[in-house]
């Protein structure tokens, strides 16, 4: 299933499934069939496999019988960030070539990290598809991009083995791990990566049953139509299962939490000469099978 959070005619956020260019309001479809489904993605994830099964069954029913008010054309709705996560765990230096470019441009270690390099972004950093990335020239002259596969947690996970890790994954999306390179402070990345709008997220969450191999997805990023990043998730240094096992050795992951699995090479800081985002730019992050997350950069002083 391809799940979207959207508004229609100034409605509150609604949970929809994308089917053949249409958005189907899952709660409305369920109500029509005299069953219940949550109207937001986080509650849907928390409702577990029962809700998932109900949604699949309803979406498999004869669409001619669906009520008009439950179906919208994709171009009639406004997409929002899929959900507000409890937490976002970021993974630094998780693609080999990015480790190399970072050691040249960002004073990070040349050696491959022996364990995942973890940091966090607050929920307030999340912004949706089409929403602006805020460029505040009083705080940064080095605003940078990082296209990443986002793993959305489905079931609470603590001390999970690599073998069991995928039992705790709900689905996948895209995060652009926006970073103000000149706001790292004594090596700490929180203010560099945690500011408002620094986690563009979406446009959809694709459920794990529709992503047969998340470790074999092409990902790429363009700025103003020019390709800057191009790689595949198979080049991750620490694969998804290892990340989940490592994080949950000490931190509980809860439904709706996000792991931003790291950026391939091709970030602006690694270019010769370096390139950074400025107001007026448009950034498009694409992950195979998930879609393209597009955000403009605006002046936000
Ligand atoms: Mg990153």
């Amino acid at each position: 299933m391809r799940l979207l959070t959207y508004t229609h005619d100034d409605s509150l956020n609604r949970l929809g499934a994308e089917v053949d260019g249409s958005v189907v309001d899952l709660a409305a479809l369920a109500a029509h069939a005299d069953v219940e489904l949550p109207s937001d993605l986080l509650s849907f994830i928390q409702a577990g496999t029962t809700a998932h099964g109900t949604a699949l069954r309803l979406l498999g029913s004869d669409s001619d019988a669906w009520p008009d008010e439950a179906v919208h054309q994709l171009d009639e709705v406004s997409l929002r960030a899929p959900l507000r996560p409890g937490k976002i765990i970021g993974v630094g230096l998780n693609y080999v070539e990015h480790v190399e470019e970072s050691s040249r441009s960002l004073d990070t270690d040349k050696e491959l990290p022996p364990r995942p390099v973890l940091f966090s972004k607050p929920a307030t950093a999340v912004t949706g598809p089409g929403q602006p990335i805020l460029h505040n020239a009083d705080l940064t002259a080095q605003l940078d991009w990082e296209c990443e596969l986002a793993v959305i947690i489905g079931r609470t996970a603590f001390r999970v083995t690599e073998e069991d890790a995928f039992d705790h994954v709900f689905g996948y999306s895209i995060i652009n791990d926006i970073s103000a390179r000149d706001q790292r402070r004594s090596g700490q990345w929180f203010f560099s990566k945690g500011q408002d709008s620094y986690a563009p997220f979406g446009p959809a969450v694709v459920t794990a049953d529709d992503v047969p191999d998340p470790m074999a997805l092409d990902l790429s990023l363009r700025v103003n139509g020019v390709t800057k990043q191009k790689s595949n998730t198979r080049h991750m240094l620490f694969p998804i299962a290892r990340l989940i096992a490592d994080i949950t050795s000490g931190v509980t992951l809860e439904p709706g939490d996000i792991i931003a699995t790291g950026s391939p090479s091709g970030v602006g800081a690694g270019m010769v000469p370096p390139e950074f985002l400025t107001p007026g730019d448009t950034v498009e992050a694409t992950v195979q099978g998930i879609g393209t997350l597009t955000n403009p950069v605006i002046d936000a002083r």
Side-chain angles (χ1 to χ4, degrees), residues 225-299:
V226 179
T227 299
K228 304 294 184 184
Q229 297 190 283
K230 198 170 173 45
S231 189
N232 187 284
T233 55
R234 82 171 82 90
H235 299 304
M236 280 186 209
L237 186 55
F238 299 106
I240 293 166
R242 175 76 188 280
L243 294 175
I244 291 173
D246 185 66
I247 293 165
T248 66
S249 68
V251 174
T252 297
L253 290 173
E254 298 178 305
D257 285 352
I258 299 173
I259 304 172
T261 55
S263 170
S265 62
V267 302
M271 303 276 173
V272 184
E275 297 175 19
F276 296 108
L277 296 170
T278 53
D281 288 344
T282 299
V283 192
E284 298 168 277
T286 299
V287 176
Q288 183 183 0
I290 294 168
T292 296
L293 172 65
T294 303
N295 298 90
V297 180
I298 66 162
D299 183 353

Side-chain angles (χ1 to χ4, degrees), residues 91-92 119 146 148 177 179 193 262-263:
V91 185
F119 63 93
E146 297 189 352
E148 307 195 7
D177 177 18
S179 310
K193 289 174 174 286
S263 170

Side-chain angles (χ1 to χ4, degrees), residues 2 125 134 160 180 196 224 260 299:
R2 190 177 168 78
L134 306 180
V160 170
D196 287 17
N224 303 330
D299 183 353

Side-chain angles (χ1 to χ4, degrees), residues 45 49 153-157 164 167-170 253-255:
I45 294 171
T49 52
I153 296 300
R155 280 175 49 211
T156 299
D164 292 339
D167 296 346
H168 297 265
V169 173
F170 176 79
L253 290 173
E254 298 178 305

Side-chain angles (χ1 to χ4, degrees), residues 169-189:
V169 173
F170 176 79
Y172 301 91
S173 188
I174 304 168
I175 278 209
N176 188 349
D177 177 18
I178 297 290
S179 310
R181 304 296 184 193
D182 43 2
Q183 283 292 344
R184 288 170 296 149
R185 297 178 177 182
S186 293
Q188 298 295 310
W189 293 347

